């Protein structure tokens, strides 16, 4: 397996590796853990961390192996 693309400084938010049919594997990050790390690392409020995250991380596309961001789903109806 080729080295997987990472989001700098957020290794502790990695929750797994995902695959798509015929595509390359890619890392999966927890949105909640990413925000917690950003808040702690920069002493940011939740809103500041979320603004940074959405603009600089969530909106980034760097090709087929761009890491995915997972948000927990709690509606199991």
């Amino acid at each position: 397996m080729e080295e997987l693309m990472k989001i700098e400084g957020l290794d502790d938010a990695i929750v797994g590796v995902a695959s798509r049919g015929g595509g390359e594997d890619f890392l999966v990050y927890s949105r909640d853990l990413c925000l917690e790390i950003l808040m702690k690392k920069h002493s940011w409020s939740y809103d500041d961390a979320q603004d940074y995250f959405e603009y600089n991380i969530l909106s980034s596309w760097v090709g087929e192996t761009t890491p995915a961001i997972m948000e927990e789903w709690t509606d199991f109806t």
Side-chain angles (χ1 to χ4, degrees):
M1 176 178 5
E2 202 172 303
E3 187 169 332
L4 299 172
M5 186 178 305
K6 292 183 176 183
I7 302 171
E8 187 176 333
L10 296 176
D11 287 1
D12 289 340
I14 296 171
V15 294
V17 176
S19 303
R20 282 189 279 261
E24 297 290 328
D25 291 347
F26 53 96
L27 289 174
V28 178
Y29 288 76
S30 162
R31 177 187 183 97
D32 292 339
L33 291 175
C34 287
L35 292 173
E36 285 179 28
I37 291 167
L38 290 170
M39 287 187 297
K40 184 176 180 179
K41 183 177 182 180
H42 301 287
S43 298
W44 287 342
S45 68
Y46 180 85
D47 289 339
D48 289 340
Q50 185 170 317
D51 286 346
Y52 176 89
F53 178 79
E54 289 179 1
Y55 184 79
N56 294 288
I57 296 172
L58 192 58
S59 65
S60 295
W61 175 257
V62 289
E64 186 177 311
T65 59
T66 298
I69 305 300
M70 178 201 75
E71 188 166 350
E72 280 195 44
W73 183 38
T74 57
D75 181 11
F76 295 106
T77 59

